[in-house]
Amino acid sequence: MKWAIVRFPGSNCDEDARFALEKAGIRAEFVWHTAQDLRGFDGVFLPGGFSYGDYLRAGALAAKSPVMAEVRRFAQEGRYVIGVCNGFQVLTEAGLLPGALLANLNLHFTCKEVGVRVERTDLPFTRLYRQGQVLRLPIAHAEGRYYADPETLKRLEGEGQVVFRYAPLGEEAHYNPNGSLNDIAGIVNERGNVLGMMPHPERAVDPILGGEDGLPLFLGLVQEVAG
């Protein structure tokens, strides 16, 4: 497998993404946001950071980058696309995932480990997790509050498109770090091949990073291709 990691002006989790993909046995190459041809790649990773300085809205300018036409083609062909943190914001701004990421309710940049419950295990991204398993993953964002109108939210819940939710770690009382509706931390499109999430699995793939709860997400992609 070979994945493209898109670099926008302001990306800062691109090296983290490459480390995670390569640790799982996936070849990874950086692609500048002006690229217009992603042929030869099996998947696309949109990393976290502050694309275009988060001017206008987080992810809004990056969503207009030339490469996003190719990312859209990837998604339409059923290939895998992952957007984490700023990448999730880009996917919603580009219309590849529904809803929006708004400012955290506390109006502060929040950087800490959170509990993330796995809601589905029938996807390539989650096949190596257990249903209901609570992962320990880091977050680092100021605009991570997931919002969707009531009709869209009902559809997401009804179609099982919510993949990850914030959940308590132990006896933790205040576990939703940003005010996301329904504690939503990550969703997929209807086809199940485009994943957007605010927590960073690529920052939790080795004990030296503090944990390995994110690694199965990438290993699952390898197993999916291997059959």
Side-chain angles (χ1 to χ4, degrees):
M1 294 182 71
K2 184 169 74 168
W3 274 56
I5 302 171
V6 178
R7 276 178 157 168
F8 300 98
S11 295
N12 65 13
C13 299
D14 40 4
E15 290 287 358
D16 305 76
R18 181 169 69 172
F19 180 79
L21 288 165
E22 291 182 346
K23 186 174 177 65
I26 300 171
R27 292 169 57 199
E29 292 184 13
F30 295 125
V31 173
W32 191 232
H33 71 111
T34 56
Q36 299 184 49
D37 187 353
L38 294 177
R39 284 177 294 185
F41 291 102
D42 300 297
V44 178
F45 193 103
L46 305 182
F50 302 91
S51 59
Y52 291 91
D54 280 350
Y55 290 117
L56 185 60
R57 291 185 309 277
L61 296 178
K64 304 298 182 183
S65 290
V67 74
M68 291 307 296
E70 274 289 88
V71 175
R72 184 171 286 102
R73 180 180 67 82
F74 254 61
Q76 291 171 346
E77 291 179 353
R79 302 191 186 198
Y80 301 125
V81 177
I82 299 176
V84 174
C85 198
N86 191 224
F88 186 10
Q89 294 162 344
V90 173
L91 289 174
T92 58
E93 290 287 343
L96 290 174
L97 288 175
L101 284 308
L102 308 181
N104 299 345
L105 282 183
N106 63 13
L107 300 181
H108 291 292
F109 181 86
T110 304
C111 182
K112 65 177 184 177
E113 284 190 334
V114 297
V116 179
R117 187 173 66 245
V118 179
E119 298 291 278
R120 287 181 61 177
T121 58
D122 60 338
L123 297 166
F125 317 104
T126 58
R127 61 183 294 169
L128 297 183
Y129 292 119
R130 302 185 310 275
Q131 184 77 28
Q133 181 178 353
V134 177
L135 315 177
R136 184 183 291 269
L137 298 176
I139 60 167
H141 59 251
E143 295 173 283
R145 175 165 55 103
Y146 184 78
Y147 173 84
D149 62 82
E151 183 178 341
T152 299
L153 199 62
K154 182 178 179 181
R155 185 176 73 251
L156 285 173
E157 296 286 4
E159 298 295 326
Q161 289 178 244
V162 178
V163 181
F164 298 111
R165 294 186 206 273
Y166 297 110
L169 290 171
E171 299 300 318
E172 185 181 21
H174 304 289
Y175 58 84
N176 185 326
N178 48 40
S180 289
L181 294 179
N182 293 15
D183 299 330
I184 291 174
I187 62 173
V188 288
N189 62 343
E190 292 181 2
R191 196 168 181 175
N193 62 303
V194 178
L195 169 69
M197 58 189 298
M198 289 308 296
H200 288 269
E202 79 283 5
R203 292 184 177 180
V205 296
D206 192 280
I208 200 170
L209 298 175
E212 298 179 282
D213 283 0
L215 184 58
L217 185 147
F218 301 98
L219 292 173
L221 291 165
V222 176
Q223 285 200 10
E224 178 74 11
V225 173

